[in-house]
Amino acid sequence: MKKIFIGILLLGSLVAKAQNFGTLNEILNRLEEKKGINQNLENVDVNNKKFILIKDFDDHTERNFIIIKGKDVTYVEIFDDKQTNESTSNVFTGDIIRKKNIISLRADMLENKKVPLPVTKTLLLTKQKDILYLIDVNTKERWIDEESFNKK
């Protein structure tokens, strides 16, 4: 009799935990939808798009560009020194793979020379208030679409 009673208690606790998980899962899905993470942007065309990321530091400014043309990508880094007003740049080329809202970037050529360690980025395509973003899933940096950037 004890075994049956304990079995019923364990079964009841598992059902309660499954219901809690379902509720928590629904809450997380709603939060992700509000933040723009769970969007269906498969039909959004990123061909011929340019995305921009600007980082400002005390001694320099970094301007980064991702230019997508079909399955090819150009990744540009521009460093502006604030003291000398000189700019230096690196131009990488490579390819992308897109699966739903995820874009994987691999740039393995630096100014037409193969580099031993390519620049790789995994980006999440999101859209909020008609502004298209790429969010780097590792660093959480936001790359804004140039067309959206120029509107404001």
Side-chain angles (χ1 to χ4, degrees):
M1 185 70 177
K2 281 184 179 179
K3 289 181 182 179
I4 294 173
F5 182 71
I6 291 173
I8 292 173
L9 283 176
L10 285 175
L11 185 61
S13 67
L14 289 175
V15 169
K17 285 184 181 182
Q19 288 175 342
N20 287 342
F21 175 76
T23 306
L24 288 174
N25 197 27
E26 288 176 29
I27 292 169
L28 288 174
N29 285 340
R30 275 188 262 142
L31 288 173
E32 287 177 351
E33 286 172 6
K34 285 182 183 177
K35 290 203 131 215
I37 294 174
N38 210 9
Q39 299 174 347
N40 184 8
L41 300 174
E42 289 182 58
N43 297 330
V44 174
D45 186 23
V46 294
N47 191 21
N48 295 320
K49 291 276 188 188
K50 183 190 285 188
F51 295 92
I52 302 169
L53 172 68
I54 300 173
K55 295 189 259 182
D56 194 26
F57 298 99
D58 291 336
D59 58 340
H60 71 283
T61 302
E62 292 181 19
R63 294 178 288 154
N64 298 312
F65 302 92
I66 294 175
I67 305 159
I68 300 172
K69 300 228 184 239
K71 295 202 179 277
D72 296 328
V73 67
T74 304
Y75 177 73
V76 181
E77 299 174 324
I78 301 174
F79 303 97
D80 300 319
D81 191 337
K82 290 182 179 179
Q83 292 180 356
T84 62
N85 290 330
E86 290 183 12
S87 294
T88 58
S89 65
N90 294 321
V91 179
F92 294 92
T93 55
D95 54 2
I96 64 165
I97 297 173
R98 180 175 178 186
K99 296 208 178 188
K100 296 186 181 182
N101 293 356
I102 300 292
I103 296 174
S104 295
L105 175 145
R106 182 184 60 109
D108 59 349
M109 302 286 283
L110 173 60
E111 297 173 3
N112 296 324
K113 293 181 184 174
K114 193 93 164 163
V115 291
L117 189 61
V119 175
T120 58
K121 295 199 176 291
T122 304
L123 306 158
L124 176 66
L125 182 65
T126 59
K127 188 174 189 177
Q128 292 182 18
K129 297 183 181 176
D130 295 328
I131 298 173
L132 202 58
Y133 288 94
L134 291 175
I135 299 175
D136 190 321
V137 297
N138 296 315
T139 64
K140 306 299 184 227
E141 294 174 330
R142 290 189 173 139
W143 299 74
I144 188 169
D145 180 22
E146 182 186 39
E147 292 174 9
S148 303
F149 185 75
N150 288 336
K151 287 180 190 176
K152 298 207 171 205

